[in-house]
């Protein structure tokens, strides 16, 4: 984690910004919850535990700054709430998402399935893709499992059946 914080600190410094204690607390929360897609309010509530003096406006400004510097990706999954995801320098593109329209969970696809399409866009249209994001909306396996009738549960039958 410390190496990633140092890298983010360098990204900020290269653009004339400092990694203030408030920004560092925000970055630490994002790193600790990297698998989640936190909203600004989620980040604020978690940061508040570490730095009680921090305000919601400071968290919003920090998230916006980190988004502008491409440290974070700001996303909207159709629920009207902006969520933030740390960008990973180990991959060329951001990961993709499976968004459940019933329960709102967001699962990640870490593989980049669009490489061949990018090559074709370059060859056929001389278009160089810099980044992309692919989101699928549907019903997750958890909701699908909840919706299946439990044919093995005999306790639901009555003696008169």
């Amino acid at each position: 984690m410390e190496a990633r914080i140092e890298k983010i600190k360098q990204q900020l410094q290269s653009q004339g910004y400092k990694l203030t204690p408030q920004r560092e607390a925000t970055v630490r929360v994002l790193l600790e919850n990297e698998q989640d897609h936190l909203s600004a309010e989620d980040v604020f509530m978690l940061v508040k535990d570490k730095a009680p003096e921090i305000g919601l406006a400071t968290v919003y400004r920090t998230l916006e700054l980190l988004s502008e510097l491409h440290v974070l990706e700001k996303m909207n999954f159709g629920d009207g709430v902006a969520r933030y995801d740390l960008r990973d320098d180990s991959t060329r593109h951001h990961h993709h998402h499976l968004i459940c329209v019933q329960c709102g969970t967001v699962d990640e696809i870490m593989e980049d399935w669009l490489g061949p399409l990018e090559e074709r866009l370059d060859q056929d249209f001389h278009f160089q893709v810099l980044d992309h994001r692919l989101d699928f909306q549907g019903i997750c396996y958890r909701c699908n499992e909840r919706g299946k009738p439990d044919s093995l549960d005999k306790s639901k039958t009555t003696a008169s059946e």
Side-chain angles (χ1 to χ4, degrees):
M1 180 185 298
E2 297 307 315
R4 291 196 61 199
I5 290 173
E6 183 60 33
K7 184 167 178 51
I8 291 168
K9 180 179 179 180
Q10 290 172 2
Q11 285 177 275
L12 286 166
Q13 287 176 340
S14 72
Q15 298 294 318
Y17 297 98
K18 292 181 179 180
L19 184 62
T20 63
Q22 296 88 349
R23 289 175 182 160
E24 184 173 344
T26 303
V27 168
R28 284 187 184 280
V29 162
L30 290 164
L31 287 168
E32 290 166 1
N33 298 278
E34 197 165 2
Q35 296 307 313
D36 300 324
H37 299 86
L38 300 175
S39 68
E41 290 79 12
D42 295 333
V43 173
F44 171 67
M45 295 307 292
L46 293 167
V47 169
K48 195 100 175 115
D49 291 339
K50 296 178 178 300
E53 74 285 353
I54 198 166
L56 180 59
T58 300
V59 171
Y60 269 109
R61 284 192 303 271
T62 299
L63 293 171
E64 287 302 312
L65 174 64
L66 294 173
S67 181
E68 288 171 21
L69 298 177
H70 303 289
V71 172
L72 296 176
E73 182 172 1
K74 184 177 179 178
M75 299 174 290
N76 189 323
F77 295 126
D79 59 359
V81 177
R83 300 183 188 283
Y84 298 88
D85 214 0
L86 282 168
R87 294 193 64 102
D88 185 2
D89 288 341
S90 66
T91 56
R92 186 170 161 226
H93 295 296
H94 201 67
H95 55 267
H96 309 300
H97 301 97
L98 304 173
I99 305 161
C100 182
V101 297
Q102 285 188 349
C103 69
T105 59
V106 178
D107 294 317
E108 297 178 340
I109 302 170
M110 298 310 289
E111 298 174 56
D112 185 3
W113 295 340
L114 300 180
L117 177 59
E118 287 186 13
E119 290 174 19
R120 185 158 179 213
L121 290 169
D122 187 24
Q123 290 171 359
D124 294 354
F125 299 97
H126 306 289
F127 184 82
Q128 181 186 8
V129 175
L130 300 176
D131 202 358
H132 65 258
R133 194 174 98 209
L134 181 62
D135 295 335
F136 293 95
Q137 294 185 355
I139 301 170
C140 71
Y141 70 90
R142 293 168 287 273
C143 290
N144 277 326
E145 287 298 316
R146 272 182 256 154
K148 289 183 182 176
D150 189 1
S151 59
L152 298 176
D153 189 357
K154 304 293 184 197
S155 66
K156 293 181 181 176
T157 60
T158 63
S160 63
E161 289 181 339

